[in-house]
C-alpha cells in the first residue's frame, strides 16, 4: 500500500472510531434514561393511524391502551386492534411485538389480565415490564416459565393473566407458539385452504398444565411448532370476541367466530381483514366493545424479507448489551 493509501485508510478508520464512540455514548445515555423511566412509563403513545409501523432491530412495540395499527416485521404483517373497557384510558389487555437484534426473529404476545379497564392497568404495566425484561430469551419454553414464575411472585390483587406467546423465526419459516390458558388461536394454512383452531401441541402433548400466569409458579406448558408458508394467517384475540352476546343472550362462541372468519376474504391488507371481522362481530353484538377489554392481532405471513442496515444492527446490538448490563447491575 502506498503512503497516500495508508494515510487515507488511517483517516477512514479514525472517522469510524469517532462515529462509533459517539453513537455508543449517545445510545447508552438514552438507554440509561429509558431504564430510569421504565418503571414509571405509563404507556407507549396511543397509535391510531393508517400508516404501517415497521419494527426496527431490538424495538419493543407494546401497550394496553387504545390502538388500531398495522405493524410490519420480518416475514409478516400484523394488524393490532385494542379497545379498553368502556373507553377507559388503560386496560387489562396487553399487546406486545418485538424484533431481535439481528432482524430475523419476531416475538408477539397477547395477554389478558383478570378484570378490565383502568382498575387492572397497573397489573398490565407490570406484565409489560416483565415481557421487556425477558425479550431476549432465546428459548420459548424458558421464556414462558420465567414469565409465569415472576408474575406469580408479584404482589398484585389481580391474581392471574391468560396469555398466548408466538415467536416467528423468519429465516426458518417456523412459528413457535405457547398458550397459557388463553382463547385458542385461529390459523389459516394456505396449503389446506382452511381455518382451524390450534389445539394439538406438537411437543410435551398431554404432559403440561398450561395454566394462566399467576396461579402456580411451577406450571409447565405445551408448545406448538408450526411450519409457515407465505399466505398463512394467525389470529390472536381476547375472550371479548367469543363471549359477546346477541339480544337473546346467545354467546358467539368459538363456532360463531370461526363461521365469521370463514366469510372474510383474505386480501393482502390485514387491516381490512381486521376491520371486517370487527364489523361482523358487531352485527352479532352491538355492545360488545363496551363489555370488556377487547384486543385482536391479525397476522398475515409473507415472503418479504428486509435486511437491516449496519447502523440499525449495530444499534440493536448496543441495546441488547445495555439491557444485559442493566440486568447484571440489578443483581449486584
Amino acid at each position: 500500500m502506498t503512503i497516500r493509501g495508508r494515510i487515507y485508510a488511517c483517516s477512514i478508520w479514525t472517522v469510524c472510531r469517532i462515529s462509533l464512540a459517539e453513537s455508543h455514548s449517545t445510545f447508552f445515555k438514552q438507554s440509561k434514561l429509558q431504564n430510569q423511566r421504565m418503571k414509571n412509563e405509563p404507556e407507549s403513545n396511543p397509535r391510531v393511524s393508517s400508516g404501517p409501523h415497521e419494527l426496527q432491530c431490538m424495538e419493543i412495540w407494546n401497550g394496553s391502551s387504545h390502538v388500531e395499527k398495522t405493524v410490519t416485521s420480518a416475514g409478516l404483517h400484523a394488524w393490532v386492534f385494542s379497545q379498553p373497557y368502556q373507553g377507559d384510558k388503560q386496560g387489562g389487555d396487553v399487546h406486545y411485538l418485538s424484533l431481535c437484534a439481528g432482524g430475523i426473529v419476531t416475538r408477539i404476545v397477547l395477554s389478558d389480565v383478570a378484570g378490565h379497564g383502568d382498575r387492572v392497568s397497573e397489573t398490565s404495566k407490570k406484565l409489560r415490564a416483565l415481557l421487556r425484561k425477558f425479550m431476549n430469551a432465546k428459548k420459548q419454553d424458558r421464556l414462558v416459565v420465567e414469565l409465569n414464575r415472576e408474575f406469580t411472585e408479584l404482589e398484585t390483587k389481580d391474581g392471574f393473566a391468560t396469555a398466548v406467546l408466538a415467536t416467528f423465526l423468519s429465516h426458518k419459516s417456523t412459528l413457535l407458539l405457547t398458550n397459557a390458558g388463553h382463547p385458542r388461536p385461529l390459523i389459516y394454512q394456505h396449503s389446506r385452504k382452511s381455518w382451524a383452531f390450534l389445539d394439538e401441541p406438537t411437543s410435551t402433548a398431554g404432559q403440561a398444565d398450561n395454566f394462566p400466569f399467576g396461579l402456580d409458579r411451577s406450571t409447565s406448558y405445551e408448545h406448538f411448532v408450526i411450519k409457515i408458508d407465505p399466505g398463512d394467517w394467525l389470529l390472536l384475540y381476547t375472550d371479548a370476541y367469543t363471549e359477546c352476546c346477541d339480544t337473546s343472550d346467545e354467546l358467539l362462541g368459538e363456532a360463531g367466530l370461526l363461521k365469521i372468519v370463514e366469510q372474510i376474504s383474505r386480501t393482502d391488507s390485514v387491516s381490512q381483514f381486521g376491520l371486517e371481522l370487527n364489523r361482523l362481530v358487531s352485527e352479532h353484538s352491538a355492545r360488545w366493545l363496551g363489555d370488556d377489554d377487547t384486543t385482536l392481532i391479525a397476522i398475515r405471513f409473507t415472503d418479504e424479507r428486509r435486511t437491516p442496515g449496519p447502523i440499525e444492527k449495530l444499534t440493536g446490538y448496543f441495546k441488547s448489551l445495555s439491557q444485559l448490563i442493566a440486568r447484571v447491575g440489578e443483581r449486584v
Side-chain angles (χ1 to χ4, degrees), residues 78-263:
W79 187 70
V80 183
F81 170 82
S82 189
Q83 178 65 60
Y85 171 70
Q86 294 187 347
D88 285 354
K89 184 178 179 181
Q90 305 283 332
D93 288 357
V94 174
H95 55 271
Y96 172 102
L97 296 90
S98 66
L99 182 63
C100 76
I104 57 176
V105 179
T106 304
R107 182 156 284 151
I108 303 172
V109 181
L110 176 57
S111 181
D112 184 358
V113 174
H116 43 243
D118 287 333
R119 186 180 69 83
V120 296
S121 61
E122 283 302 312
T123 304
S124 64
K125 185 170 73 171
K126 292 176 181 177
L127 180 57
R128 294 204 318 274
L130 289 179
L131 288 168
R132 286 192 290 259
K133 179 179 179 180
F134 294 113
M135 74 165 293
N136 291 322
K138 293 183 178 180
K139 294 185 177 181
Q140 178 105 345
D141 52 356
R142 180 186 173 189
L143 168 67
V144 179
V145 168
E146 290 294 328
L147 281 173
N148 175 60
R149 181 181 60 80
E150 295 222 8
F151 188 77
T152 303
E153 294 172 356
L154 288 176
E155 294 182 0
T156 172
K157 61 183 179 181
D158 306 301
F160 67 93
T162 67
V164 58
L165 299 89
T167 300
F168 180 56
L169 313 174
S170 63
H171 58 305
K172 296 182 178 180
S173 298
T174 300
L175 178 71
L176 311 177
L177 190 141
T178 307
N179 193 329
H182 200 78
R184 296 187 298 170
L186 271 165
I187 188 169
Y188 176 85
Q189 293 182 296
H190 182 70
S191 60
R192 298 183 179 182
K193 307 294 183 184
S194 64
W195 286 95
F197 288 100
L198 279 174
D199 58 1
E200 295 183 2
T202 52
S203 67
T204 62
Q207 303 174 18
D209 306 309
N210 303 315
F211 292 149
F213 295 155
L215 294 182
D216 183 354
R217 69 190 307 274
S218 62
T219 296
S220 56
Y221 295 93
E222 298 171 324
H223 309 287
F224 297 86
V225 181
I226 307 163
K227 194 66 178 176
I228 294 296
D229 293 319
D232 288 354
W233 287 70
L234 180 70
L235 298 185
L236 310 179
Y237 55 92
T238 52
D239 57 11
Y241 282 85
T242 52
E243 294 182 2
C244 64
C245 297
D246 60 15
T247 55
S248 302
D249 288 332
E250 186 74 22
L251 287 174
L252 179 63
E254 285 189 340
L257 179 61
L258 177 59
K259 185 177 180 180
I260 285 176
V261 168
E262 290 175 335
Q263 298 176 37

